[in-house]
Amino acid sequence: MLVTLAALATSCGGAGSDTATTKPATGNSAGTGSGSDSSAVGNVDFDTVFKTEERFKQALPDRASMAGWTPRSASADIEEAPDPAESCGAAADWYCARIARGEANFEAVGEEAHFDVTAFADKKAAQDACRKEANWSAKYTKAQVPPVPGVESHAYYRNVGGLDGLFLIMCLGTVVAEVTLEGKGSSLDPATAHSLAQSFVPRIQKAAAAS
């Protein structure tokens, strides 16, 4: 079942929109954080299961939290019949046992930012997915993106479909969160990825803590 979050892409606010991210200037700031260092809002080791449209709308960035970026699309895909974890094999299929996935996409001059939340039935399944993804992506060039405090993460560069990308993977509780910068000729600044992650993580934490 695919739910298009049209309101998320066009909204001027929404749950968690108090944490704003302005697109930082690119340049020689690679490897350093941009903007303020957002403090943790909740527990990154949560048990909350992300399987409703509302949960994803709370977790994914919106227009208000992405100053300097133009919203393009947002959606949530809830699996009607998820694959059981024991049926999943290769590391390349790390997302096999997901129960839901949400994404929000934004664009700025010469660059695109993609946010993904892949949800699992429990922390064990999410941790297994994180381990598989890390093993699978180890062949790519490492990107020096500073970690968000308290969050297990890694980042790498990869070319997909003729576009260069910087992929930042973060493991939180029952989800795997991704921030991807993409663009032909884009600088793919690690500082930009870090700044976006600092805004994204508190939104996920707030969504997990919401009743």
Side-chain angles (χ1 to χ4, degrees):
M1 178 176 65
L2 180 64
V3 179
T4 301
L5 306 181
L8 179 62
T10 58
S11 171
C12 291
S17 61
D18 54 316
T19 304
T21 297
T22 302
K23 187 179 189 305
T26 57
N28 296 322
S29 58
T32 61
S34 296
S36 61
D37 186 7
S38 301
S39 59
V41 176
N43 186 0
V44 297
D45 190 28
F46 51 80
D47 293 299
T48 305
V49 179
F50 281 63
K51 58 180 180 180
T52 65
E53 175 187 0
E54 185 60 29
R55 193 76 69 179
F56 285 104
K57 288 176 73 172
Q58 292 172 334
L60 292 166
D62 56 12
R63 181 191 296 271
S65 64
M66 289 291 288
W69 298 82
T70 301
R72 290 305 181 197
S73 64
S75 64
D77 185 6
I78 312 298
E79 299 287 345
E80 293 183 355
D83 291 327
E86 56 270 19
S87 71
C88 299
D93 296 327
W94 62 266
Y95 46 80
C96 168
R98 69 179 179 230
I99 61 169
R101 177 178 177 270
E103 65 175 344
N105 303 312
F106 297 82
E107 184 178 49
V109 178
E111 195 163 46
E112 296 179 3
H114 307 281
F115 299 86
D116 292 88
V117 176
T118 302
F120 297 88
D122 51 43
K123 289 190 293 186
K124 182 179 183 300
Q127 290 166 357
D128 186 54
C130 282
R131 177 183 55 80
K132 288 182 177 179
E133 197 287 329
N135 291 338
W136 171 78
S137 62
K139 58 182 174 287
Y140 296 109
T141 302
K142 185 176 180 180
Q144 300 298 326
V145 178
V148 175
V151 178
E152 179 186 349
S153 65
H154 65 277
Y156 58 93
Y157 296 103
R158 180 185 173 202
N159 182 279
V160 181
L163 293 176
D164 295 322
L166 190 163
F167 296 76
L168 172 59
I169 312 297
M170 298 177 289
C171 306
L172 301 87
T174 61
V175 307
V176 177
E178 302 174 63
V179 175
T180 303
L181 296 177
E182 192 174 60
K184 193 172 183 61
S186 169
S187 65
L188 302 181
D189 189 1
T192 300
H194 183 239
S195 178
L196 295 176
Q198 287 181 296
S199 175
F200 192 19
V201 167
R203 294 183 67 91
I204 296 171
Q205 292 172 297
K206 286 183 179 180
S211 59

